[in-house]
Amino acid sequence: MDFKLFCKHSKNNINDNQLYFYLGCKNSASEKFKIASFDEIKEKIDNIEKYRPFSEREDEICAPECVLFIEDKNFFNRGNRYTFFNRFYLQDSYRRKLKKLFFRFLRSENKTNCIDKALRGYSTIEMQFLRTLSIKNGYNYVFRRKAYEIIYSRLFLRNLKIYYKKCNCDIRCFKDYILYLYLRCAPCLNKGQEERVNSVLGYRKKIEIYSKEKLFALTLCFSGKIEWPNVLNLYSESIKEYDLDISELENLISQLNE
């Protein structure tokens, strides 16, 4: 019932108890954190691509490293370890980050906000892929979301792997399949940027023909880093290592931020 309608029926004689009762019921009935069923997730996957054989070189993502050095450097090394609770993810560089976060937490006046910000940055590609497909409401409930991602990622990916195998696909290419699906469906942090991505980079249905520079620019859109000033300086070493065209990157970033 709408609150105004509730007031009307009560003839403006609402006491505090009635008001608290109404607000309590409304709050209890609202869906703060809602996830899709596995059937709904499967339907979304089939709408992207039922399976991806990767039997030919041109079917593969042209330069996955341009995505992974930003999002998840150990993606191909972890095997069946899908969350950040593994030695490949929590290696020396991440231990150093955790140490910095620990001291930042001790100095912070708002402990909850500090933890929220830290948790937002620690998701594998598999965890990001799962939440993109399954979380309907409540993305900003960080603790619940992370708990869901950690608990269900293994179950979800294990069954997706079985499904992929039953489609007569080469199981050795399963990771390529996950990356392909992720790049097809991962949302831009700035929702309004999705339209510019399609016009500047091309529709993501053809993600496999994106150039290295376009893949890099697209990945920056996922985290919102595309809007950071001097973002290319942040990844200067990797850009040089993978021989990315700086002038093309600058042009793409400029167009995506218009």
Side-chain angles (χ1 to χ4, degrees):
M1 180 184 290
D2 182 80
F3 185 62
K4 291 182 180 178
L5 188 61
F6 176 80
C7 294
K8 182 179 179 181
H9 281 284
S10 301
K11 297 180 180 179
N12 297 321
N13 292 320
I14 306 174
N15 59 36
D16 288 344
N17 289 334
Q18 287 176 306
L19 181 60
Y20 293 146
F21 174 77
Y22 169 80
L23 293 175
C25 290
K26 183 181 178 183
N27 188 54
S28 298
S30 64
E31 295 173 318
K32 292 184 176 180
F33 189 79
K34 185 177 180 181
I35 59 174
S37 67
F38 278 103
D39 286 338
E40 289 175 312
I41 295 172
K42 179 183 175 296
E43 184 179 353
K44 289 180 181 180
I45 291 174
D46 286 347
N47 286 336
I48 300 171
E49 187 80 41
K50 187 171 184 180
Y51 63 90
R52 192 73 179 167
F54 295 101
S55 57
E56 302 292 337
R57 175 63 196 171
E58 57 265 25
D59 286 332
E60 298 179 13
I61 305 300
C62 75
E65 64 276 4
C66 295
V67 176
L68 301 181
F69 76 71
I70 300 174
E71 290 293 308
D72 189 350
K73 293 179 182 178
N74 296 299
F75 176 71
F76 282 111
N77 298 330
R78 290 194 309 270
N80 294 325
R81 305 169 183 88
Y82 302 121
T83 70
F84 51 71
F85 286 116
N86 62 79
R87 67 185 178 88
F88 291 99
Y89 205 84
L90 298 173
Q91 54 184 283
D92 288 341
S93 61
Y94 289 97
R95 283 201 291 269
R96 287 194 294 271
K97 287 182 180 179
L98 288 172
K99 185 177 179 180
K100 289 180 181 178
L101 287 171
F102 175 72
F103 287 112
R104 188 185 303 166
F105 172 78
L106 292 179
R107 293 191 299 267
S108 174
E109 294 182 4
N110 189 335
K111 307 295 185 188
T112 303
N113 188 50
C114 181
I115 295 173
D116 275 3
K117 287 182 178 179
L119 285 174
R120 288 176 190 275
Y122 286 83
S123 286
T124 62
I125 278 181
E126 294 93 335
M127 292 167 70
Q128 294 178 55
F129 176 50
L130 172 61
R131 75 178 181 226
T132 297
L133 293 176
S134 62
I135 295 179
K136 292 182 172 181
N137 291 327
Y139 176 85
N140 291 325
Y141 288 85
V142 180
F143 288 101
R144 297 182 197 181
R145 174 165 59 81
K146 287 296 181 181
Y148 170 76
E149 291 172 11
I150 292 168
I151 293 169
Y152 281 93
S153 287
R154 180 175 174 79
L155 175 64
F156 168 66
L157 271 300
R158 185 175 60 191
N159 283 282
L160 182 60
K161 193 173 186 177
I162 293 170
Y163 176 60
Y164 183 69
K165 190 174 182 179
K166 284 183 177 179
C167 291
N168 297 317
C169 297
D170 188 345
I171 203 64
R172 293 173 297 178
C173 298
F174 181 62
K175 283 278 191 174
D176 301 272
Y177 176 58
I178 294 173
L179 183 61
Y180 173 80
L181 293 175
Y182 167 75
L183 290 171
R184 280 286 306 276
C185 71
C188 299
L189 186 66
N190 181 345
K191 302 300 181 185
Q193 212 153 39
E194 193 67 49
E195 189 174 333
R196 289 199 295 276
V197 164
N198 290 331
S199 63
V200 175
L201 304 181
Y203 284 96
R204 283 199 261 168
K205 288 183 179 180
K206 294 293 184 181
I207 193 72
E208 63 269 21
I209 64 173
Y210 270 33
S211 67
K212 294 186 294 184
E213 290 77 14
K214 286 185 176 182
L215 280 173
F216 176 84
L218 173 65
T219 309
L220 291 178
C221 292
F222 296 156
S223 61
K225 292 178 182 177
I226 192 76
E227 298 176 352
W228 290 12
N230 302 318
V231 66
L232 295 181
N233 293 337
L234 182 65
Y235 296 106
S236 58
E237 291 184 10
S238 297
I239 289 170
K240 185 176 181 180
E241 180 181 353
Y242 297 115
D243 195 27
L244 300 182
D245 188 320
I246 289 288
S247 60
E248 184 177 348
L249 287 175
E250 289 174 343
N251 183 46
L252 289 171
I253 289 173
S254 175
Q255 291 183 66
L256 287 166
N257 282 320
E258 287 180 353

